[in-house]
Amino acid sequence: MKNYLFHICLLICVFFIACEPITDRMEMGSVVAESDLRIEIYTTTEGGNQVVMSNETPQVGSFWDYIVSTSVRQRDTVLLPFLGEHKITFTGLCAGGTVTTTRTVKIDRIDHALAPEWALLAGTEKEGKTWVWDNEGLIWGDGGYLYDIAPMWSGLSAEDMESKFPEDFAQSITFDLNGGANFTKKKANGTIVEKGSFSLDLSRSIPNGYNTAEWSTALIKINEATVMHGISPNEGNTTIHQFEVMLLDKDHLVLAYPEQGISPGGRCWYWKFKAQ
């Protein structure tokens, strides 16, 4: 009887041992301390706008946020389009997680040429560049997504905008690069209505519906503010903060916003401005 019980117990023990889950007991790697990061951020000329970002920390990947864009290179050279002191954020990708730190770089002069779109949009002076409504034709309205580059279906002329939305008509918007990518909307008397920041993504390129040319050449994002009459009427008058760039030259700025989820030819809203 004892031998029988012994064998039963032995079988039970073997059963539980066999059923014990096999676990990977390898521990996750550690996170490098911020003080141990070997990173450098510096300008190639004293006070210039060309900046080198370098990470020489062993076994740590890189993610740089240099305000106007991001980079995942271990070493990268970039151009900043504005003056003043700016914080560049580095996130190190370690085996056990991430570590983040910031460094400050000071830009006193623009000595390396930027993409011309920055100057076309925001000018070259500290006060920036101001845009008002373009008074020709329809200055706001809808048209076909990927097919039109200005309001073609319906909309408001300058006279209509002044009559129906006098406050919006009398306002202006200013983009400047003084200490950052700044955006300001003002009343005619100079009172500030909204103030925020903006980004200009020049890598954006969307072909038109005929695949014969670009429909959108860039993307502007305005944080904490928007342009005059910056709403989407069919989406509950939602405030728009992101605009496709249809046209940008020294005198004209045309922006567009396609309604969410639309197909080519669907409704898109347009804003037409001119340099003040």
Side-chain angles (χ1 to χ4, degrees):
M1 184 68 177
K2 289 181 179 181
N3 286 338
Y4 175 78
L5 292 175
F6 171 78
H7 284 95
I8 292 295
C9 292
L10 181 62
L11 288 171
I12 292 173
C13 290
V14 170
F15 174 80
F16 279 107
I17 292 173
C19 292
E20 183 179 357
I22 299 175
T23 59
D24 184 357
R25 298 185 182 277
M26 293 182 62
E27 295 183 359
M28 181 179 291
S30 60
V31 176
V32 175
E34 182 180 350
S35 58
D36 291 332
L37 290 172
R38 291 164 51 185
I39 66 171
E40 284 188 292
I41 299 176
Y42 57 90
T43 58
T44 57
T45 58
E46 185 176 356
N49 67 308
Q50 187 178 66
V51 179
V52 175
M53 308 178 300
S54 176
N55 170 31
E56 296 184 358
T57 315
Q59 298 181 340
V60 174
S62 300
F63 182 85
W64 307 93
D65 182 346
Y66 57 98
I67 308 169
V68 296
S69 190
T70 59
S71 173
V72 294
R73 295 180 179 179
Q74 293 296 88
R75 182 182 178 88
D76 205 352
T77 302
V78 300
L79 298 178
L80 295 185
F82 30 68
L83 304 175
E85 291 190 354
H86 309 285
K87 288 185 178 180
I88 294 178
T89 302
F90 170 79
T91 300
L93 311 176
C94 313
T98 61
V99 56
T100 300
T101 189
T102 61
R103 298 289 188 275
T104 299
V105 63
K106 186 177 181 181
I107 309 298
D108 294 321
R109 55 199 171 93
I110 305 298
D111 60 351
H112 287 76
L114 302 167
E117 288 83 357
W118 286 98
L120 291 174
L121 178 67
T124 57
E125 305 298 329
K126 287 186 176 181
E127 61 268 22
K129 188 171 182 178
T130 298
W131 299 87
V132 296
W133 290 107
D134 188 340
N135 290 332
E136 295 186 6
L138 297 179
I139 64 174
W140 175 87
D142 55 358
Y145 173 52
L146 298 185
Y147 290 95
D148 294 326
I149 58 172
M152 298 295 291
W153 295 353
S154 64
L156 301 177
S157 65
E159 293 77 10
D160 295 332
M161 182 67 73
E162 184 176 20
S163 174
K164 295 181 179 180
F165 303 99
E167 289 189 6
D168 286 353
F169 181 76
Q171 293 172 356
S172 64
I173 54 175
T174 300
F175 297 88
D176 77 72
L177 302 174
N178 184 19
N182 305 306
F183 174 88
T184 307
K185 183 162 66 177
K186 294 181 179 180
K187 295 182 179 181
N189 63 6
T191 301
I192 294 176
V193 179
E194 291 180 330
K195 196 170 182 64
S197 62
F198 75 94
S199 63
L200 179 62
D201 183 358
L202 298 174
S203 66
R204 183 81 159 194
S205 179
I206 300 177
N208 64 21
Y210 307 103
N211 288 317
T212 57
E214 288 181 312
W215 179 75
S216 171
T217 60
L219 182 73
I220 293 178
K221 294 182 180 179
I222 303 174
N223 304 308
E224 300 179 357
T226 190
V227 301
M228 298 89 83
H229 208 62
I231 60 172
S232 177
N234 290 344
E235 296 175 310
N237 287 337
T238 300
T239 300
I240 308 304
H241 297 281
Q242 179 171 301
F243 302 87
E244 303 287 347
V245 178
M246 302 290 97
L247 173 64
L248 174 59
D249 61 29
K250 66 184 183 68
D251 297 316
H252 304 93
L253 173 63
V254 180
L255 304 178
Y257 165 77
E259 292 183 353
Q260 296 297 305
I262 64 169
S263 302
R267 179 172 279 105
C268 186
W269 297 94
Y270 298 87
W271 293 257
K272 290 176 57 181
F273 303 115
K274 65 179 180 180
Q276 189 176 59

